[in-house]
């Protein structure tokens, strides 16, 4: 028994009464945290086709793919400390071998750990930005989303546009995150590193990679290239037969 105010209460009885309240509080807190994760996921603007991407469903069919998946999973799990150690990534490789899947899996894992993330396909982002011209503050809101996120995925970075203003926009985003420190960028390209350096200038790539090297996805595409090649060959044969008949 314990004294509460002017009376005495049984500790065991109090525990029994408060147990449901504690459970409701735990459930409420879990619901609040889940809603925060959903909100950060919506704000990240990950494409619908990649919103379910995770490390668990990544097709790591080669030892190299397994090694990269394990390293990226570890980075996301320990983002709080890793973000200041490795401040950027460049994924390069042929289309369809999982670069965007891996990047979105990392972004979602980082979101689940309480941080913010943002995804942008650079060509689409450039078009969206141009559509805001003349609307006060609209372009700032778009660029601020990419600058302020804890983790940024820049897909199709080599398709940045041909004008000086397009290039300057990309540089401003990369440089702002570089100067703020601990705001990593993950850039994705189907081109080689040499092409990116020639195309984007080394100052952009160096601000993303720092002293690290790009990560090459050097396994075959998963988009069924053999299937469409076979279909194309079959169509060519049929066309040839039709021409001879």
């Amino acid at each position: 028994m314990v004294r509460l105010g002017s009376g005495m209460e049984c500790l065991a009885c109090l525990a029994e009464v408060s147990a449901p309240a504690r459970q409701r509080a735990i459930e409420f807190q879990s619901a609040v945290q889940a809603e925060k994760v959903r909100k950060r996921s919506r704000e990240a603007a990950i494409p619908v086709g990649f919103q379910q991407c995770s490390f668990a469903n990544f097709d790591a069919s080669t030892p190299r793919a397994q090694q990269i998946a394990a390293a990226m999973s570890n980075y996301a799990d320990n983002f709080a400390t890793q973000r200041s150690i490795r401040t950027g990534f460049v994924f390069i490789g042929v289309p369809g071998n999982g670069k965007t899947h891996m990047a979105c899996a990392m972004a979602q894992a980082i979101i689940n750990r309480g941080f913010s993330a943002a995804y942008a396909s650079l060509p689409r982002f450039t078009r969206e930005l141009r559509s805001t011209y003349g609307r006060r503050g609209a372009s700032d809101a778009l660029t601020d989303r990419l600058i302020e996120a804890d983790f940024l995925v820049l897909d199709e970075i080599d398709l940045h546009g041909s004008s000086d203003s397009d290039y300057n926009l990309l540089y401003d985003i990369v440089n702002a995150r570089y100067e703020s420190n601990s705001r990593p960028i993950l850039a994705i390209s189907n081109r080689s590193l040499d092409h990116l350096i020639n195309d984007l200038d080394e100052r952009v790539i160096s601000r993303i990679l720092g002293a690290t090297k790009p990560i090459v996805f050097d396994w075959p595409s998963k988009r069924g290239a053999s299937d469409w090649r076979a279909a194309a060959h079959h169509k060519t044969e049929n066309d040839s037969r039709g021409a001879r008949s």
Side-chain angles (χ1 to χ4, degrees), residues 7-215:
M8 302 292 289
E9 294 287 350
C10 169
L11 280 176
C13 297
L14 286 174
E16 290 179 4
V17 172
S18 62
R22 285 201 306 273
Q23 183 60 34
R24 286 194 298 272
I26 292 171
E27 292 173 355
F28 176 77
Q29 186 63 26
S30 296
V32 168
Q33 292 302 319
E35 179 54 34
K36 288 181 178 179
V37 169
R38 286 191 291 270
K39 182 175 183 292
R40 290 194 297 270
S41 296
R42 290 192 299 270
E43 292 172 345
I46 295 171
V48 174
F50 293 96
Q51 288 177 2
Q52 301 305 315
C53 289
S54 67
F55 294 107
N57 59 28
F58 179 75
D59 186 4
S61 56
T62 69
R64 168 75 173 163
Q66 293 165 11
Q67 179 186 30
I68 291 174
M72 296 304 99
S73 178
N74 179 70
Y75 182 89
D77 286 343
N78 298 283
F79 183 71
T81 54
Q82 289 293 320
R83 63 187 299 185
S84 60
I85 298 173
R86 176 153 189 167
T87 57
F89 300 86
V90 174
F91 287 176
I92 56 179
V94 299
N97 60 4
K99 298 184 298 297
T100 301
H101 181 127
M102 179 75 75
C104 291
M106 291 176 70
Q108 191 59 60
I110 287 167
I111 287 170
N112 291 343
R113 282 156 182 77
F115 300 95
S116 62
Y119 170 95
S121 168
L122 204 54
R124 184 179 305 134
F125 176 77
T126 301
R127 291 193 299 270
E128 290 175 354
L129 195 67
R130 287 173 181 163
S131 71
T132 67
Y133 291 167
R135 286 189 284 154
R136 186 174 180 180
S139 60
D140 288 343
L142 285 175
T143 55
D144 287 349
R145 183 180 78 86
L146 302 192
I147 291 172
E148 294 173 1
D150 293 318
F151 183 75
L152 173 62
V153 176
L154 279 180
D155 207 349
E156 300 176 302
I157 193 172
D158 50 303
L159 303 178
H160 55 83
S162 57
S163 70
D164 288 343
S165 61
D166 292 337
Y167 174 81
N168 290 335
L169 167 67
L170 173 61
Y171 176 79
D172 288 345
I173 292 171
V174 170
N175 190 58
R177 293 182 65 84
Y178 174 78
E179 289 181 345
S180 68
N181 199 14
S182 300
R183 288 185 181 174
I185 296 175
L186 192 164
I188 304 172
S189 175
N190 298 325
R191 309 291 184 89
S192 68
L193 180 64
D194 288 342
H195 176 93
L196 289 179
I197 291 175
N198 290 332
D199 181 43
L200 295 174
D201 191 86
E202 190 169 356
R203 63 179 185 158
V204 170
I205 300 301
S206 65
R207 278 168 168 75
I208 296 173
L209 281 176
T212 61
K213 295 181 179 180
I215 296 176

